[in-house]
């Protein structure tokens, strides 16, 4: 009998490293057996950030960064495979998004899945987004089908928020209809400002933001971004919400001269809370709770801001609904790999805007 064990790897726009899970899809249910995190070496992280924008000799630099990524992914796979109770059927690897331009007909997750298959000896399934884009979709978000399978409740509206570099929301309607889209920036701006103002890679537990005071003028300048008012399907990334985006708005609000670093940190956290709350009010008005996953779920200040912005609805982490917050995305890709193996569609056309359901991924066999 074929193995029901899959490894899922997700490295998102926070550029912190790769989250991996070992999941067992035996029988009717799903169980995560183990999880691992492999941080990116600092030079790889810097190069992946640099590759988000046009620059010299990109082809060669991208290929070399992809090799570095594959080695990092392989380390994560080795840690998980060593604890697997049997052979692993396939590794699902998202790759690292360095350009996301569905309106031009492409999205690019840099990766070297052939090297990963070579290094691990396990079948690798990669490139999950391209087929949806080829079918006219955004190629994102791809997690709603998994969210429906795991968090869906018959007859109820369920809202699930992933706080990665970008915040993305899934709304599961009572009749099983699904909306999913990127709300706007989350950790990407929080990390950027924290690193710049304090040298620390992220604002641990949101402590700096919690000390700060939200500035209305800066918040208005940030909220004026037209993306927030667009109707879904929509998706975005670091090619839009990045240092130049932030700097332009800090200038408009004269923020650097007027505000303390922690006030800017607080205002950026409030931006994410307000944008997410507006998305929930518009697209999930009957949801009685928001289930939060992703690294931002560990940011106590951001979670408190979300709670206040969404009251009286409850805000809970996905841990309370059966799956740890830092395992949801990687498990979603393991689930998508299983769908690929069964040749089942992985996209939700109402979320991505694709012409129809499509089987997502490409196989790099181990042998
Ligand atoms: N204890 C914490 N306090 C505040 N933020 C945290 C904490 N742990 C993780 N994070 C945030 O989560 C990010 C990683 O989240 P992740 O879900 O991996 O995002 P992505 O999918 O974009 O890589 C970090 O860059 C950091 O901003
Ligand atoms: Mg990450």
């Amino acid at each position: 009998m074929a193995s029901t064990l899959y490894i899922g790897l997700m490295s998102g726009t926070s550029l912190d490293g790769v989250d991996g899970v070992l999941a067992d899809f035996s029988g009717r249910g799903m169980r995560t057996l183990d999880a691992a995190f492999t941080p990116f070496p600092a030079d790889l992280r810097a190069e992946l950030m640099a590759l988000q924008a046009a620059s010299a000799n990109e082809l060669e630099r991208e290929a070399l960064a992809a090799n570095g990524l594959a080695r990092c992914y392989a380390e994560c796979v080795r840690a998980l495979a060593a604890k697997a109770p049997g052979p692993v059927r396939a590794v699902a690897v998202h790759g690292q998004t360095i350009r996301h331009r569905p309106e031009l007909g492409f999205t690019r997750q840099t990766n070297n899945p052939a090297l990963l298959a070579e290094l691990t000896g396990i079948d690798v399934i990669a490139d999950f987004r391209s087929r949806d884009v080829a079918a006219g979709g955004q190629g994102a978000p791809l997690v709603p089908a998994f969210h429906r399978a795991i968090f869906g409740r018959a007859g109820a509206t369920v809202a699930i928020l992933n706080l990665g570099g970008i915040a993305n929301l899934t709304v599961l309607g009572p009749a099983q209809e699904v909306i999913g889209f990127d709300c706007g920036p989350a950790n990407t701006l929080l990390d950027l400002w924290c690193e710049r103002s304090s040298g620390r890679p992220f604002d641990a537990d949101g402590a700096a933001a919690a000390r700060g005071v939200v500035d209305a003028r800066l918040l208005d300048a940030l909220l004026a971004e037209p993306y927030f008012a667009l109707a879904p399907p929509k998706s975005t990334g670091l090619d839009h919400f990045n240092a130049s985006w932030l700097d332009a708005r800090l200038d408009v609000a004269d923020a650097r001269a007027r505000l303390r670093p922690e006030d800017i940190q607080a205002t950026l956290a409030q931006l994410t809370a307000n944008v997410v709350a507006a998305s929930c009010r518009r697209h999930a008005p009957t949801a009685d709770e928001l289930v939060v996953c992703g690294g931002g779920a560990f940011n106590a200040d951001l979670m408190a801001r979300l709670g206040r912005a969404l009251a009286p609805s409850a805000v809970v982490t996905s841990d309370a609904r059966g799956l740890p917050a830092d395992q949801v995305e990687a498990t979603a890709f393991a689930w998508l790999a299983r769908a690929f193996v069964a040749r089942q569609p992985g996209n939700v056309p109402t979320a991505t805007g694709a012409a129809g359901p499509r089987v997502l991924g490409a196989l790099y066999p181990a042998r």
Side-chain angles (χ1 to χ4, degrees):
M1 243 192 42
S3 167
T4 55
L5 298 172
Y6 287 79
I7 287 174
L9 299 179
M10 179 61 194
S11 51
T13 45
S14 299
L15 294 171
D16 52 331
V18 55
D19 288 299
V21 296
L22 172 68
D24 188 0
F25 295 99
S26 62
R28 299 188 60 204
M30 180 215 77
R31 273 189 318 143
T32 53
L33 305 181
D34 208 347
F37 174 71
T38 307
F40 291 153
D43 54 346
L44 178 61
R45 180 173 206 245
E47 182 68 336
L48 291 169
M49 187 58 97
L51 286 167
Q52 303 287 331
S55 54
N57 199 17
E58 278 172 327
L59 277 179
E60 182 169 323
R61 286 172 43 218
E62 189 209 339
L64 294 175
N67 289 349
L69 268 175
R71 290 195 186 90
C72 207
Y73 292 154
E75 194 182 319
C76 195
V77 170
R78 272 187 222 109
L80 292 166
K83 296 181 192 162
V88 175
R89 179 76 176 268
V91 173
V93 60
H94 172 265
Q96 192 65 46
T97 300
I98 53 167
R99 225 51 69 81
H100 183 64
R101 299 274 165 76
E103 72 283 6
L104 299 180
F106 77 95
T107 180
R108 181 78 160 204
Q109 284 71 49
T110 191
N111 198 357
N112 188 343
L115 178 57
L116 185 57
E118 189 66 33
L119 292 174
T120 61
I122 304 173
D123 282 7
V124 172
I125 299 163
D127 191 20
F128 287 89
R129 299 195 190 272
S130 294
R131 183 61 191 273
D132 185 84
V133 173
Q138 296 279 309
L142 295 184
V143 286
F146 172 73
H147 286 165
R148 177 171 54 193
I150 298 297
F151 299 116
R153 282 187 279 130
T157 302
V158 180
I160 302 121
L161 176 72
N162 176 53
L163 288 173
I166 300 291
N168 57 281
L169 182 70
T170 302
V171 182
L172 309 171
Q176 294 290 290
E177 70 277 20
V178 182
I179 304 170
F181 61 95
D182 289 341
C183 307
N187 299 322
T188 180
L189 298 184
L190 301 179
D191 291 356
L192 206 160
W193 183 253
C194 185
E195 183 144 32
R196 203 190 273 180
S197 59
S198 74
R200 288 175 284 112
F202 64 92
D203 181 17
D205 305 328
R211 283 196 310 274
V213 178
V214 172
D215 180 69
R217 189 168 149 204
L218 175 58
L219 187 58
D220 284 349
L222 297 165
L223 284 168
E225 160 63 43
Y227 178 84
F228 301 142
L230 290 179
K234 60 175 178 175
S235 59
T236 188
L238 298 182
D239 33 14
H240 188 71
F241 292 104
N242 51 30
S244 8
W245 185 92
L246 176 61
D247 286 336
R249 280 137 194 96
L250 292 175
D251 289 344
V252 163
D254 191 26
R256 274 171 288 217
R258 288 189 305 114
L259 303 175
R260 300 172 302 163
E262 56 266 41
D263 299 335
I264 294 176
Q265 194 77 44
T267 308
L268 291 173
Q270 195 61 46
L271 168 71
T272 296
N274 285 16
V275 166
V276 166
S279 299
C280 288
R281 276 193 292 274
R282 186 159 160 200
H283 298 287
T286 56
D288 56 7
E289 68 176 16
L290 179 67
V291 180
V292 183
C293 61
F298 297 96
N299 183 330
D301 169 78
L302 183 55
M303 289 295 282
R305 288 179 198 280
L306 272 172
R308 289 194 293 273
L310 279 164
S313 292
V315 175
V316 300
T317 70
S318 61
D319 300 64
R321 296 293 167 267
L323 198 53
D326 52 357
Q327 295 182 17
V328 175
E329 292 266 299
T331 310
F333 279 89
W335 188 90
L336 285 168
R338 180 173 168 266
F340 171 91
V341 166
R343 296 298 186 271
Q344 286 164 355
N347 64 338
V348 176
T350 52
T352 65
R358 295 289 185 271
V359 176
L360 307 178
L363 173 65
Y364 292 73
R367 63 186 70 80

